């Protein structure tokens, strides 16, 4: 059996907060002993209310922040916290953030933003970089003329397409998507979700997909993990989670979400409207 593409073993992340100069230091556990295995080609959704630790976990998975304890394994290889991670391991995991406005440098042209990962990590000349950038822009639906623009000249949806393109420039195997459509209008959300589904197929990607929208999770993900105050309280296939939630918190979360109109969502994902 092949190793899971990404595995998280008892990951813990604590933050120390000093309330004031004279106050005692407080520690909060943002992620508490979370374990899961992501299979190749699988999409794992992470759901949970605000502050439950989703982004904290995402940043650990993307190796942006180290965990306080626990292990991360990429294709069966342990990534030790605090140690320099081999470039080829790091390249395999990329992250897309919620806000496409703040995640792109406003002073760089789209072409520069997309060329940067290539310039840092690959020994290829400018002409080849330009070719790869044009190809990727086309792939994310931004063919023709976008490469010379600056981020402020794009819509929110177009900007998120650029952020996705940037994440894919080094051909990673895993994308960590932290609420990638939450900041966008409903119709644009559907277009970006469709694009992500296409790219998942085209590049054989595995996704960790963080979302507040349980209706979207149901159609986009295979498995879902429910987080509550740093704990992973339930993890199972989406079909099972929605038909027979076990944990009291999952039930509350399902009840709190707007009534899921299946027909409407299918239509939304199909037409992009
Ligand atoms: N850099 C930090 N320093 C101190 N505390 C932090 C830091 N980042 C997050 N936290 C705390 O950790 C907890 C989890 O935050 P996190 O951002 O992971 O939640 P989330 O599930 O992504 O929430 P949301 O749905 O609002 O994005 C919160 O209590 C938050 O205040
Ligand atoms: Mg978050």
């Amino acid at each position: 059996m092949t190793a899971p593409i990404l595995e998280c073993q008892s990951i813990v992340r604590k933050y120390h907060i000093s309330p004031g100069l004279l106050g005692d230091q407080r520690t909060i556990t943002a992620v508490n002993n979370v374990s899961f295995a992501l299979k190749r080609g699988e999409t794992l959704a992470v759901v949970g209310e605000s502050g439950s630790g989703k982004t904290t976990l995402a940043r650990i998975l993307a190796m942006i922040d180290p965990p306080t304890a626990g292990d991360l394994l990429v294709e069966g290889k342990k990534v030790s916290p605090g140690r320099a991670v081999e470039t080829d391991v790091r390249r395999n995991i990329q992250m897309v953030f919620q806000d496409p406005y703040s995640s792109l440098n406003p002073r760089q042209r789209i072409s520069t933003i997309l060329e940067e990962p290539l310039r840092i990590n690959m020994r290829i000349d400018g002409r080849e970089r330009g070719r790869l950038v044009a190809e990727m822009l086309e792939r994310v639906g931004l063919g023709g003329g976008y490469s010379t623009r600056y981020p402020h000249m794009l819509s929110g949806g177009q900007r998120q397409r650029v952020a996705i393109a940037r994440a894919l420039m080094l051909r990673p195997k895993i994308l960590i998507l932290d609420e990638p459509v939450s900041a966008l209008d409903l119709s644009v959300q559907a277009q970006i979700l469709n694009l992500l589904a296409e790219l998942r197929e085209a590049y054989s990607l595995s996704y960790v997909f963080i979302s507040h929208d349980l209706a979207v999770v149901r159609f986009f993900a295979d498995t879902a993990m429910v987080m509550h105050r740093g704990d992973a309280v339930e993890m199972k296939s989406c079909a099972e989670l929605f038909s027979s939630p076990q944990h009291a918190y999952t039930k509350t979360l399902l009840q709190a979400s707007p009534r899921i109109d299946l027909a409407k969502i299918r239509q939304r994902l199909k037409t992009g409207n």
Side-chain angles (χ1 to χ4, degrees):
M1 220 186 77
T2 53
I5 192 148
L6 181 66
E7 204 175 344
C8 211
Q9 294 176 343
S10 309
I11 293 280
V12 176
R13 173 75 203 205
K14 292 181 194 284
Y15 290 116
H16 302 289
I17 308 167
S18 331
L21 281 178
L22 300 171
D24 295 335
Q25 203 177 59
R26 269 199 323 130
T27 302
I28 60 156
T29 306
V31 174
N32 187 20
N33 212 14
V34 169
S35 302
F36 68 80
L38 178 72
K39 290 194 218 105
R40 205 173 289 268
E42 190 184 28
T43 295
L44 166 72
V46 179
V47 300
E49 65 187 1
S50 183
S52 57
K54 304 181 299 295
T55 296
T56 303
L57 178 65
R59 293 174 64 88
I60 292 169
L61 299 178
M63 293 183 257
I64 297 169
D65 293 329
T68 308
D71 288 312
L72 190 65
L73 285 85
V74 183
E75 297 187 298
K77 240 188 190 174
K78 200 180 275 188
V79 182
S80 315
R83 280 239 219 106
V85 181
E86 288 164 46
T87 325
D88 61 332
V89 177
R90 186 177 286 274
R91 262 164 68 163
N92 275 329
I93 309 183
Q94 298 293 329
M95 183 156 169
V96 175
F97 301 87
Q98 174 174 349
D99 182 7
Y101 290 78
S102 58
S103 66
L104 303 177
N105 185 338
R107 280 181 289 275
Q108 288 183 333
R109 291 184 194 275
I110 304 307
S111 55
T112 313
I113 291 172
L114 297 187
E115 268 190 50
E116 197 156 86
L118 299 176
R119 201 174 313 118
I120 295 170
N121 292 283
M122 289 171 84
R123 278 194 206 146
I124 50 175
D125 63 23
R127 205 169 137 169
E128 178 61 3
R129 285 201 300 267
R131 194 188 66 75
L132 291 171
V133 165
E135 189 184 283
M136 190 53 79
L137 277 173
E138 189 84 37
R139 197 73 197 71
V140 300
L142 292 177
Y146 287 95
S147 64
T148 52
R149 295 200 198 179
Y150 288 92
H152 76 270
M153 300 170 172
L154 301 179
S155 69
Q158 288 169 337
R159 247 179 275 213
Q160 200 57 311
R161 285 174 194 268
V162 172
I164 293 167
R166 178 180 58 184
L168 291 175
M169 286 314 291
L170 295 172
R171 301 293 152 93
K173 294 178 181 165
I174 304 162
L175 285 192
I176 312 294
L177 303 153
D178 188 3
E179 311 247 15
V181 298
S182 307
L184 307 171
D185 284 354
L186 264 194
S187 64
V188 182
Q189 283 192 11
Q191 292 166 7
I192 299 294
L193 285 168
N194 278 334
L195 173 68
L196 287 169
E198 273 171 43
L199 295 168
R200 178 171 57 190
E201 194 69 24
Y203 294 115
S204 307
L205 293 162
S206 309
Y207 287 167
V208 175
F209 178 76
I210 295 173
S211 178
H212 271 105
D213 190 339
L214 292 177
V216 164
V217 163
R218 185 170 188 168
F219 285 94
F220 194 75
D222 306 298
T223 318
M225 180 168 84
V226 181
M227 290 191 68
H228 181 49
R229 298 187 182 162
D231 292 315
V233 294
E234 192 163 358
M235 182 169 163
K236 50 173 63 155
S237 77
C238 284
E240 255 184 285
L241 187 84
F242 284 89
S243 61
S244 54
Q246 292 305 310
H247 199 278
Y249 176 68
T250 313
K251 289 179 189 165
T252 316
L253 199 65
L254 286 171
Q255 276 160 12
S257 78
R259 234 178 67 79
I260 297 172
D261 185 340
L262 298 184
K264 215 180 198 165
I265 288 148
R266 260 191 213 114
Q267 190 61 20
R268 192 171 116 196
L269 290 175
K270 213 161 73 196
T271 60
N273 284 304

